[in-house]
Amino acid sequence: MRILRSKTLRSGLVELLIVVIGILLAVQIDGWNQGRLDRETAAFYLTRIEEDLRRDSTALVRLRGIALRGMATTDRLLRALDDPSLPDSAGIWIRNARGVSFFEPRVSAYQDMVSTGRLDLIRDVTLRDRLVQYHEVHNGDWLVAWSNH
């Protein structure tokens, strides 16, 4: 009887050890899998944000060109107004000088990350802070963002 109890106790301990090891392995594998999923999600968001910033950059270059042409036109107009014999093209200059273009940054990827609470996926603190600062301008906190430059 004593031998039978000893074998039963031993086999029970071995089974318990196997179950504990299995649970620990499952938890570790789950952690690895979650880390992999987080890295994939972060890469997806960063790709979208990069695309948004590239489009914003292209739009800003275009708007800069428009602003420079408007300033040049305004300069010509002001010089022409000093001239007593105003040319016929003054009306065109005035129309060009009034031209105003607006810039709306693309913020969908950033807003997705913020609304889902996944901004922490961007592990680089400097990059995360710069993204927040860039998007503060869009949220209407442009005075605060501008004063921080």
Side-chain angles (χ1 to χ4, degrees):
M1 189 71 150
R2 193 176 200 162
I3 294 172
L4 186 59
R5 256 193 230 149
S6 174
K7 286 184 181 182
T8 305
L9 183 62
R10 227 183 253 157
S11 65
L13 288 174
V14 168
E15 286 179 27
L16 180 65
L17 183 63
I18 290 172
V19 169
V20 168
I21 289 173
I23 291 172
L24 290 174
L25 277 173
V27 168
Q28 184 64 37
I29 290 171
D30 186 54
W32 287 334
N33 190 44
Q34 188 60 47
R36 181 186 58 80
L37 290 174
D38 285 349
R39 286 188 299 277
E40 287 176 4
T41 303
F44 170 74
Y45 278 126
L46 286 173
T47 299
R48 286 183 58 202
I49 288 172
E50 180 182 14
E51 180 182 311
D52 289 349
L53 292 174
R54 285 186 193 281
R55 288 183 183 182
D56 286 354
S57 178
T58 301
L60 286 170
V61 166
R62 183 181 57 79
L63 289 174
R64 182 178 187 273
I66 291 169
L68 289 174
R69 284 191 302 275
M71 289 182 345
T73 300
T74 303
D75 187 49
R76 284 195 309 267
L77 176 62
L78 291 174
R79 277 185 277 141
L81 290 174
D82 287 339
D83 187 355
S85 59
L86 191 63
D88 292 339
S89 59
I92 295 171
W93 292 349
I94 292 169
R95 200 169 43 250
N96 286 342
R98 276 202 216 145
V100 175
S101 295
F102 294 97
F103 172 72
E104 279 293 321
R106 295 175 50 92
V107 296
S108 61
Y110 174 79
Q111 286 178 342
D112 283 352
M113 288 187 81
V114 170
S115 66
T116 59
R118 301 308 309 256
L119 199 56
D120 65 323
L121 289 174
I122 301 176
R123 301 215 186 278
D124 183 337
V125 177
T126 304
L127 175 60
R128 188 171 52 228
D129 288 346
R130 287 185 178 166
L131 279 172
V132 169
Q133 190 176 45
Y134 176 77
H135 287 89
E136 281 177 347
V137 173
H138 182 265
N139 291 333
D141 297 333
W142 62 273
L143 261 177
V144 174
W146 182 255
S147 66
N148 289 335
H149 289 340

